[in-house]
Amino acid sequence: MSAQSPRVDDSSAFIGFNDLVGLLHAVFVKHGTSPQVAQILAHNCASAERDGAHSHGIFRMPGYISTLESGWVDGKATPVVTDVASGFVRVDAANGFAQPALAAARALLVDKARSAGIALLAIHNSHHFAALWPDVEPFAEQGLVALSVVNSMTCVVPHGADRPLFGTNPIAFAAPRADGAPIVFDLATSAIAHGDVQIAARNGERLPPGMGVDSLGQPTQDPKAILEGGALLPFGGHKGSALSMMVELLAAALTGGNFSFEFNWADHPGARTPWTGQLLILIDPSKTAGQNFAERSQELVRQMHAVGLRRLPGDRRHRTRAKSLAAGIEVDAQALNQLREWAV
Ligand code: NDP
Ligand code: PYC
């Protein structure tokens, strides 16, 4: 399908995956990234759009652009990879994006995981503005188990506290299974991702109860009240709050990155990308005792289905992916036109 495909109605259009990657690549380069960084971010963003992960697809492009224009992030940064120990790789993202830092360390990390059974990647001085599952899913497609965490920007009130401190701090996990796509989940430790609050505000929708508070700390279902002086809550009360705290520790304290509350972008109007850190743990399950790991995960899935489970995490994404690859990615026509303007 061509990027010039006709619109199907006034509000939506269809675009092929490679065409969307090409268009986003042009937008990134136009706004100051190197071609290499543009390729990685464009692929990431188009993958999210293809899979229906709308809060981290093309919705994010205005934020990427305003951030690049503000000088907050270096779109041409060259990550510095350090081989720290037999199971430890460190990357200084050099105030660039986290995904090119991961790409730069990938081969070394996989080698270490395959030889030692486990390897850890600690990225700091990095900006992550995307969904986290694209960082882990490819490892599971290679037969490895991957767990990653990234912290973001202060907007979540720790359970039992009065004011926000944590970021929305997602956790993503991917594991191979014998018959089918890897098992993958990717979830914010806030009750809702910040991006989804922005989308609800844009669409004039109310949120379900329990997502956030207004500027006075009172529960609210109004997304604008959350965005304008209010804050989000962790999911699951004290349990999500503990996980969010863990993400701060692993993604920032352990990597040398900023906590979600430690950076100040006030001098960079338009900056939207959190300047934090990311941790990724990679495990080679072929080292475990007993039956093949992928067979064991398949057995778990089989048993979950047997007790009535209809939807595994990742199922919705894969269904949307299949549809997008068959018919093109359905995108908002205005947003597509805007991307084309930004690309020239
Ligand atoms: P969701 O709550 O939409 O989904 C979380 C996970 O649960 C997904 O793996 C999803 O699978 C699965 N899931 C959802 N509903 C069901 C269900 N009914 N049954 C079984 N599984 C289900 O995600 P969030 O809103 O928490 O996060 C959205 C995105 O925001 C993530 O990609 C995250 O990485 C990103 N994010 C990024 C941040 C950053 O700093 N870079 C910060 C915070 C969030 P499926 O995908 O198939 O629906
Ligand atoms: O949706 O919470 C979010 C988010 C923060 C940074 C990138 N996405």
Side-chain angles (χ1 to χ4, degrees):
M1 179 148 319
S2 142
Q4 306 304 320
S5 301
R7 299 177 192 180
V8 288
D9 61 35
D10 283 347
S11 62
S12 56
F14 287 82
I15 181 165
F17 179 72
N18 291 334
D19 287 335
L20 183 56
V21 173
L23 180 57
L24 295 174
H25 183 277
V27 175
F28 278 117
V29 170
K30 183 83 192 168
H31 291 85
T33 76
S34 65
Q36 295 84 346
V37 169
Q39 186 58 29
I40 291 167
L41 294 184
H43 192 276
N44 174 294
C45 185
S47 300
E49 196 64 30
R50 175 201 66 199
D51 283 17
H54 296 296
S55 62
H56 291 80
I58 61 176
F59 168 74
R60 288 279 153 188
M61 290 308 290
Y64 275 116
I65 290 173
S66 65
T67 303
L68 285 160
E69 286 176 344
S70 78
W72 172 244
V73 67
D74 182 356
K76 295 185 169 137
T78 303
V80 180
V81 178
T82 308
D83 185 342
V84 180
S86 57
F88 204 120
V89 181
R90 187 188 304 138
V91 191
D92 179 347
N95 194 34
F97 291 101
Q99 293 83 1
L102 169 57
R106 199 174 200 293
L108 178 62
L109 186 72
V110 170
D111 277 355
K112 284 182 181 293
R114 294 231 187 262
S115 67
I118 185 162
L120 191 142
L121 175 66
I123 301 173
H124 71 286
N125 199 6
S126 54
H127 297 248
H128 203 295
F129 199 49
L132 200 50
W133 60 261
D135 297 359
V136 292
E137 191 170 78
F139 290 113
E141 286 165 354
Q142 286 182 260
L144 299 164
V145 176
L147 177 71
S148 187
V149 293
V150 58
N151 61 319
S152 64
M153 65 287 175
T154 289
C155 60
V156 177
V157 185
H159 182 75
D162 302 324
R163 291 183 301 283
L165 185 76
F166 295 156
T168 43
N169 299 1
I171 302 174
F173 172 80
R177 69 165 153 145
D179 301 326
I183 301 172
V184 177
F185 74 75
D186 173 18
L187 47 88
T189 50
S190 47
I192 183 170
H194 195 262
D196 282 319
V197 182
Q198 293 173 63
I199 289 176
R202 182 195 66 188
N203 296 348
E205 292 161 2
R206 280 172 74 72
L207 298 173
M211 307 279 114
V213 292
D214 63 19
S215 57
L216 301 173
Q218 295 304 310
T220 182
Q221 291 177 251
D222 176 359
K224 285 193 177 145
I226 292 174
L227 296 173
E228 292 160 15
L232 294 170
L233 296 172
F235 82 85
H238 62 284
K239 300 185 183 189
S241 195
L243 290 174
S244 190
M245 176 182 71
M246 179 194 75
V247 174
E248 293 287 345
L249 290 169
L250 293 179
L254 199 69
T255 63
N258 290 319
F259 285 125
S260 296
F261 57 85
E262 272 183 328
F263 58 87
N264 180 3
W265 46 22
D267 291 340
H268 292 80
R272 297 281 180 275
T273 60
W275 179 35
T276 56
Q278 178 177 5
L279 187 93
L280 194 147
I281 299 168
L282 203 56
I283 300 168
D284 179 357
S286 72
K287 301 281 193 289
T288 56
Q291 211 184 330
N292 177 283
F293 177 87
E295 295 290 348
R296 295 291 287 153
S297 21
Q298 188 60 44
E299 174 59 10
L300 181 63
V301 170
R302 204 175 295 124
Q303 294 299 336
M304 288 192 285
H305 285 151
V307 295
L309 185 91
R310 296 232 167 77
R311 175 179 169 187
L312 275 176
D315 279 353
R316 180 203 57 82
R317 270 195 313 104
H318 281 284
R319 266 200 312 277
T320 311
R321 184 183 301 182
K323 226 170 119 187
S324 296
L325 293 178
I329 305 169
E330 186 173 4
V331 294
D332 178 80
Q334 260 188 328
L336 187 57
N337 287 337
Q338 178 67 79
L339 288 174
R340 288 178 177 140
E341 282 169 27
W342 279 330
V344 290

